[in-house]
Every structure is written in C-alpha cells, then in structure tokens.
Amino acid sequence: MTDNTGTVNAATRALRPGPFATPDGAEPEDRKPQDRKPEERAPEGGPPTVGVEEEYFLVDAGTRAVVPAGPRLAARAAGVLGASVSGEFTDLQIEVRTTPCTTMDELSAQLARLRRELAACAATANLRVCPSGTPVIGGGAGAVPVGDHPRYREGVDLFRTMMDDFAVSALHVHVHLPDREVAALAGNHLRPWLPLLVEMSANSPFHAGRDTRYASWRSVLRLRFPSLGPPPWVDSFDGYRQVATAMADVGGMSFAELPFWDTRPHPCLPTLEVRCMDVPADAADSVALAAVVRGLVVTSARLAEQGDKGPRLGGEVLRGAYWYATRDGWPGEGVDALSGRRLSAPERARRLVAHIGAALEEYGDLERVEAFLDRLAARGSGAHRQRAAYRSGGLPAVVDDLAAGMTAPDTARTADHAAAPPP
C-alpha cells in the first residue's frame, strides 16, 4: 500500500456508518465467511495469517539512477505475477504483495519468488529492482513523478513542496485480526515498540546521492507529515475513528477512512497493518520482521481481550523515540518509550523477545527471530550494509548490492564487505 496523502471533498471525508467498508461498500463483519475473498477469510484454527507488501525503486541498469518505469514494468510483470504486482505512489517505484500465509516458511517462499520474478522482468527492460527505503542515486532533481491517480494528485495539492522528494519504499505487514475493537486497542500496545521496528529495519541512509547521516531517512521524510508516524492512543475503535475524522476535518489527514498511521485496523481487510518499516534488502529479513510483527499483534490482542487498553504514552515522548531511531538506528542508544530511559537497541530487542516470546514459540518463529537478531549483531542493519558497500565501491556498489537481494535465495545473505556495527 502507498503512503497516500491525497484528499477528498468534505462530503466523502466523514466515516461511513459501522466499521470501515471494503471497496465494494460491504462491511467485512456483515458478510458471510463463504462470501469473502480468500485474503479476507479467517484461518480455520492455528496461527493468524500474515501477508506482506514490499515497495521497491526501479533503476537504470547502467547508471543505477532511479527511473520512472513503474507503470511500464507493472504492466509487463502482471503477465507473470498477476495481481501480486502494481504501481506505487511515484512512477519510480513498484510494489509486490503476498497472499496470506500461515507459516513463515510459506511467506518466505512466496516473497522470494515474487522478488526473483520481478527482477527477471525488470532485466528484460534494462532495469534493476532496488529494495531501499529511499532512492540511492537520482530522485533529487525537481518533483518526483507522482503516479496517475486522483488521490495522489490531490495529495500534492494539499502538501505542495513537501511532496517534491516524497519517494519512499516500505515493508508493510498485515496480521489477521478481524475484531476492530481489539485491533484498535492492540495498536496501543504496539506503540512503544514501533521505534525499535524502525531501527531493526533501517535501510535508507542515502538519499539522492547524499549520505544523510541518518539510518532511516525514509522515516524522517514521513514524520514531517501530520498524519504519518505513530498512531494516537485510543480507548476504543470509536475513539480511533473520531481522531481520524477530526484530523481529516482540519486538513491534516487525507480522509478519515484511510489513515496512514504506522499501525491501523485496515479499512478494507480484516487485518491489523504495521507500516513503520523500511523495505529490507533481503527477503529473509522481511520475513523475520513479519514474524516479530505477528508476535507483537498476537500478544497485544490477547492483552486487549483481557481488558488491558495499553500504556498511555505521551505523543511527544514517542516522537522523540522515533527521532532517535531514525538517526542512530541499530545498535544505537535510543529511548525506551515504556520506561523513558535511554537503552541500546539490542537491550530493547531482548525485552521485546521476552514480551512476545510465548507467541513466537507457539508459532515456531522464535528461532527465526533470534537468527535475525544475530545477523543484526554481526553485520548491522541495512543502513550499515549500504555504507559498507559505499566504502567498497561508491554509490553504484550500494545499488548493486541492494539489487542482488532481489535474486538471493530465501535465506539470509552475508555480504563479503559487510562489517559489524560499532559496539
């Protein structure tokens, strides 16, 4: 899904009665299970399903600069990938999405195949696919080419020059959670952990040929908008909708039915969506992050079902924690939003695993998550890897290393030039 910042007129801003509606106007809770699309059906026993969306930049195979080839490649790749591929907010990008998966092995196989097939389609057009949160080379001269969609153009009208460099690529994770009330309260429980997800996924240190000196410049670009970033604390799903409506009424949000906060009960699917992460270079890291997110959502939903509405963190403290996360990334010393203390990312990750460990063990995901944390300890985040590639061969080497992640097997790579992060 895109970070759509478009607007609609006042008549369509107001929320429809009942839960957020699906595109055909029906309410998910009001339809019989057999009438729902496959991706909307609840799993019959076992763990909740997980699906991911990944956004990528398209680069010229020779210059490695981003090029506006998204619509053209999406049309070409659709012949192979069908509805699993689409254009994105800018024409510099393309998106793939998996179907809902019960196990992380299934998710890993799907995502690896989507990446390989998309890279193969791109190669036939002298393009490469670059999984980075921001453009490494190019994308900084003039306004980025926005996709041909009315809401995209309305977003440019609303936010004006702020949109000129708004080309960012993310990993979005959907976890099946059809109860909107529980999903809204589960979001409260996720809020303290979102900065850590930013740190673990940070993969955008370069922007338009320049080292930003941040780990996740994508997150910096997003946080300047009034309706992007951490969600508000709410006491109910009605409260969630009221805040969204108020934001839309004052012009700070595109429209109330589709907030773009970093967690949200999805308006068209029975899922809780988490949207704060940079797209990783490797599919293995995306899958590990999806396992972390499912563990968080399941743990949070169980607490919400027990009547726990979650810690009521102040927005200012949470924004401060986000800022530390975007700047220093892994393994920096950032703010633990729960305690207000500054703690290293590895220490906060240990606390996270203790918090969600029961869910990870229940679904067989603990080993995968621990292996991911071991990789972070050994070679750092995507930001470390990009800078290590830059030291070995400049910006073209950064793009080449990122593009290699599209055709890697569905296991983690360890690049020869990757170095351990500072202690």
Side-chain angles (χ1 to χ4, degrees):
M1 299 291 293
T2 109
D3 279 302
N4 180 338
T5 49
T7 58
V8 294
N9 60 44
T12 58
R13 275 183 181 150
L15 289 166
R16 299 184 184 109
F20 289 178
T22 57
D24 60 9
E27 303 285 354
E29 289 80 10
D30 292 340
R31 287 189 288 168
K32 297 178 181 179
Q34 63 268 27
D35 295 332
R36 295 181 182 176
K37 299 175 183 178
E39 64 268 24
E40 297 174 353
R41 293 174 189 155
E44 296 181 3
T49 53
V50 180
V52 305
E53 303 163 65
E54 286 193 329
E55 301 157 353
Y56 315 116
F57 288 101
L58 299 174
V59 303
D60 181 273
T63 67
R64 278 85 155 191
V66 289
V67 289
R72 173 164 50 95
L73 182 60
R76 180 189 295 255
V80 178
L81 299 177
S84 295
V85 64
S86 67
E88 248 300 313
F89 179 74
T90 79
D91 288 347
L92 306 175
Q93 298 167 270
I94 198 164
E95 176 186 284
V96 299
R97 64 188 73 88
T98 71
T99 60
C101 300
T102 301
T103 69
M104 292 301 148
D105 285 345
E106 180 188 359
L107 182 66
S108 180
Q110 273 203 39
L111 190 56
R113 183 187 69 83
L114 290 172
R115 283 181 167 224
R116 286 195 303 269
E117 296 283 5
L118 181 63
C121 288
T124 64
N126 199 38
L127 299 169
R128 301 187 78 184
V129 184
C130 185
S132 176
T134 47
V136 176
I137 302 175
V144 296
V146 175
D148 185 20
H149 192 290
R151 285 183 289 155
Y152 299 167
R153 295 191 293 271
E154 289 164 352
V156 174
D157 290 341
L158 176 63
F159 291 110
R160 303 178 184 178
T161 303
M162 285 175 66
M163 302 298 292
D164 283 358
D165 60 352
F166 191 67
V168 295
S169 291
L171 165 70
H172 297 165
V173 179
H174 293 255
V175 180
H176 189 270
L177 186 58
D179 188 318
R180 297 299 203 222
E181 190 71 25
V182 172
L185 299 180
N188 293 340
H189 288 276
L190 264 69
R191 292 172 80 237
W193 302 105
L194 298 177
L196 181 59
L197 294 179
V198 171
E199 289 165 292
M200 292 194 296
S201 67
N203 188 37
S204 51
F206 296 100
H207 181 252
R210 177 170 175 250
D211 190 333
T212 65
R213 301 177 65 194
Y214 278 71
S216 177
W217 192 248
R218 168 189 164 272
S219 298
V220 174
L221 294 176
R222 294 183 76 252
L223 288 170
R224 65 192 180 184
F225 291 92
S227 55
L228 301 182
W233 188 95
V234 296
D235 63 1
S236 65
F237 183 58
D238 279 345
Y240 175 90
R241 297 197 300 177
Q242 288 165 11
V243 175
T245 300
M247 286 287 291
D249 286 345
V250 300
M253 178 179 288
S254 308
F255 51 100
E257 289 184 335
L258 194 61
F260 283 90
W261 291 315
D262 283 347
T263 70
R264 64 180 183 185
H266 195 275
C268 302
L269 297 171
T271 64
L272 182 61
E273 183 185 10
V274 178
R275 309 165 44 81
C276 62
M277 295 164 286
D278 287 3
V279 62
D282 288 342
D285 290 353
S286 293
V287 175
L289 285 162
V292 170
V293 169
R294 179 165 68 176
L296 268 171
V297 170
V298 169
T299 302
S300 300
R302 288 171 178 171
L303 289 169
E305 288 167 347
Q306 295 167 9
D308 185 345
K309 293 189 176 182
R312 192 159 189 165
L313 302 175
E316 294 82 1
V317 172
L318 191 54
R319 281 265 173 174
Y322 260 75
W323 179 76
Y324 268 108
T326 66
R327 189 190 71 174
D328 295 343
W330 186 278
E333 188 177 79
V335 178
D336 174 25
L338 284 169
S339 67
R341 297 168 53 203
R342 290 182 63 181
L343 299 171
S344 71
E347 172 58 30
R348 283 177 282 126
R350 284 191 286 270
R351 296 182 179 206
L352 170 63
V353 172
H355 176 58
I356 66 174
L360 294 178
E361 286 192 285
E362 181 179 348
Y363 302 140
D365 295 334
L366 181 58
E367 183 178 348
R368 187 184 298 271
V369 171
E370 289 179 336
F372 172 56
L373 295 178
D374 287 345
R375 292 198 297 277
L376 285 172
R379 47 94 165 144
S381 68
H384 287 95
R385 292 189 52 149
Q386 288 199 33
R387 289 190 172 113
Y390 176 79
R391 290 191 295 270
S392 74
L395 293 175
V398 176
V399 176
D400 290 346
D401 184 61
L402 290 165
M406 297 297 296
T407 54
D410 54 346
T411 55
R413 293 181 301 149
T414 302
D416 293 337
H417 56 247

